[in-house]
Amino acid sequence: DTEVTQTPKHLVMGMTNKKSLKCEQHMGHRAMYWYKQKAKKPPELMFVYSYEKLSINESVPSRFSPECPNSSLLNLHLHALQPEDSALYLCASSQAQGVPRPQHFGDGTRLSIL
Amino acid sequence: SQQGEEDPQALSIQEGENATMNCSYKTSINNLQWYRQNSGRGLVHLILIRSNEREKHSGRLRVTLDTSKKSSSLLITASRAADTASYFCATDGAGNTGKLIFGQGTTLQVKP
């Protein structure tokens, strides 16, 4: 069992749909991350939240909209996605941004865009 | 672009043998981490080595770091079928941003 919980595990959506991915951690971590991982590739950072504020946006298209409602929750809102956005979306958390500590990952949401 | 490069890309060994994976990176770092990813799962942190450390052990894992060569290696001793997974190195750069850049990964298969 992982300490970072992501829902849903799988999501199929059309290009005109709006959906949200959710991530939750109860380790008291103050940094949370979204990564995108294509098959047989390493994870690529999308966003970093530090103390509930957006700290890093890796030039991600605006059809991906992150939100951090509180220190335990992280959402990724999806709208008008493209087929190339199909991937595994991983959420992670760490004690604090910039502190040399491990990142704890959830098992991801496998997203398919029709 | 990804900072870390790993080799080999794929490794197949028999249970009980040792597995060595190598990682090279391009810029200065504060620390380097190794992660494991089982098929269909998230990444699991294995070990973190700081830039002023040369070697670190954790159970059957041994990590070395050579900052002069900008390289690291992960050794798994006495491998088990359960070690079958992809292994990634990740560097943080020198800016303390918390941003991890992952290598391309090594896929390890341990045959029973």
Side-chain angles (χ1 to χ4, degrees), chain A residues 1-2 33 35 37 40-45 48 55-56 58 88 90 97-108 110, chain B residues 2 30-31 33 35 37 39-46 48 50 88 92 95-105 107:
Chain A
D1 289 341
T2 57
Y33 311 79
Y35 289 88
Q37 186 178 26
K40 299 189 187 302
K41 294 291 186 181
E44 292 183 351
L45 183 67
V48 180
S55 172
I56 295 177
E58 289 288 285
L88 181 67
L90 294 163
Q97 185 181 3
V99 174
R101 292 286 188 273
Q103 291 187 16
H104 297 251
F105 284 79
D107 281 338
R110 189 161 300 280
Chain B
Q2 296 296 324
N30 291 312
N31 64 78
Q33 302 181 40
Y35 288 82
Q37 185 175 32
S39 181
R41 303 295 299 273
L43 280 76
V44 173
H45 180 263
L46 297 176
L48 182 153
R50 298 172 192 265
F88 295 95
D92 71 330
N96 273 330
T97 65
K99 175 179 172 178
L100 288 183
I101 300 175
F102 287 86
Q104 294 300 304
T107 299

Side-chain angles (χ1 to χ4, degrees), chain B residues 13 27-28 45 56 74 90 98 105:
Chain B
I13 59 174
T27 64
S28 298
H45 180 263
K56 206 161 183 181
L74 170 67

Side-chain angles (χ1 to χ4, degrees), chain A residues 11 15 63 74 77:
Chain A
L11 179 62
M15 290 190 284
R63 57 185 184 269
L74 187 66
H77 303 297

